[in-house]
Amino acid sequence: MEAGTFEEAFFAVPAKGETDRLLHVARKTLDAARRLRRDERAGAKELSAAERLIARLTSSAVRVYEEILTLARLNRGQVFPSYDHLADATGLGRATICRALTILEAIGFLARQRRFNRVEGQGPGPRYKQTSNAYRPLLPAKVLSYLPRWLRPAPVPEDEVQRRLDHIEDMQLMLKSLSCRELAEATIDGPLRKILAKLGDAIDRRERESQTGSEPLTDSYINRLKGVGLAGQRLNA
């Protein structure tokens, strides 16, 4: 996505103590990863798909996560460091940084969004340049069973669960009521939004034209249908 078009909705200000808690979770998950690797090597356990992801966690990945959490705490959740910054802050190489971010994202510790900037260039059409990614630290659901009880989030009350389900249902009904153009404008960001909105507008026009060309169910037409039904009832009688 284009830098400056989505960050307000993407970033979230961490609650007090949240970054410290996430770091504790990552360190406990690293302990679990070491146990899983040891059990697999010993043949004592066959790892599930989720356990294989957790077993990939390394101390380097946790160190990178610690730096991202520090930036989130200091910058009110706005985290978009370059690879060079992460390498300087952690003392790790760029290749190690890249692997660490991939592992963290796969497990669910991070949401990562690639960003670009528009640049001037010769020839038709816009030119783009990759800039630093945006990151948002998260608590992955797949690691909760490996955490001590005091690190697990409190269960959501039933009325709150129902409220969220009702909200999802209302959103789905609302989206179904939109035209193709309105749907693109409501759900897509960046340059793709304008293109899909234009395409949706063409689809909407085609549907309106096809409906105009068909015979509508006017009042007289409906009355004729009722008359045929009544005549049929009299014949049957």
Side-chain angles (χ1 to χ4, degrees), residues 20-195:
D20 291 336
R21 177 168 171 266
L22 288 175
L23 182 56
H24 280 304
V25 169
R27 287 171 174 167
K28 289 295 183 181
T29 306
L30 179 60
D31 294 338
R34 289 166 175 159
R35 289 195 300 269
L36 289 172
R37 291 195 296 266
R38 183 176 64 248
D39 291 344
E40 185 182 32
R41 285 194 301 268
K45 183 178 180 62
E46 183 175 351
L47 303 186
S48 64
E51 288 171 336
R52 289 186 181 280
L53 285 176
I54 293 172
R56 293 174 57 193
L57 189 65
T58 62
S59 57
S60 297
V62 174
R63 179 65 188 92
V64 172
Y65 193 55
E66 181 180 8
E67 180 61 23
I68 288 175
L69 291 171
T70 299
L71 294 173
R73 184 179 67 252
L74 296 178
N75 300 311
R76 296 181 57 80
Q78 300 189 34
V79 185
F80 45 92
S82 65
Y83 278 27
D84 288 337
H85 173 88
L86 292 175
D88 292 340
T90 62
L92 302 171
R94 284 177 60 92
T96 304
I97 296 292
C98 183
R99 286 194 298 271
L101 292 172
T102 300
I103 292 171
L104 292 169
E105 187 178 19
I107 297 175
F109 278 111
L110 280 181
R112 174 167 51 168
Q113 176 61 56
R114 295 182 62 190
R115 304 190 307 160
F116 67 87
N117 287 322
R118 296 174 184 264
V119 296
E120 296 294 333
Q122 297 180 351
R127 297 291 185 270
Y128 307 108
K129 180 181 179 181
Q130 178 74 28
T131 186
S132 61
N133 298 326
Y135 302 95
R136 179 175 175 177
L138 302 171
L139 174 62
K142 59 173 61 72
V143 307
L144 296 182
S145 61
Y146 297 94
L147 302 179
R149 187 174 299 276
W150 66 274
L151 276 176
R152 301 178 190 176
V156 180
E158 292 185 2
D159 57 343
E160 176 62 17
V161 172
Q162 186 60 47
R163 187 193 69 79
R164 294 180 185 179
L165 293 174
D166 293 341
H167 175 70
I168 293 173
E169 184 177 356
D170 292 341
M171 286 294 296
Q172 291 175 341
L173 290 175
M174 184 273 291
L175 292 175
K176 288 181 180 179
S177 69
L178 299 179
S179 67
C180 293
R181 180 186 181 90
E182 292 169 339
L183 182 63
E185 292 176 341
T187 58
I188 306 297
D189 291 322
L192 188 60
R193 176 182 180 181
K194 185 176 180 180
I195 298 172

Side-chain angles (χ1 to χ4, degrees), residues 210-228:
S210 64
Q211 292 172 3
T212 302
S214 60
E215 182 180 3
L217 288 176
T218 60
D219 291 342
S220 60
Y221 185 65
I222 295 174
N223 288 334
R224 288 202 301 273
L225 289 177
K226 290 181 178 179
V228 170

Side-chain angles (χ1 to χ4, degrees), residues 194-209:
K194 185 176 180 180
I195 298 172
L196 292 182
K198 185 176 181 180
L199 178 61
D201 189 46
I203 296 173
D204 294 334
R205 285 200 307 271
R206 183 181 300 175
E207 290 185 352
R208 288 194 297 268
E209 290 170 358

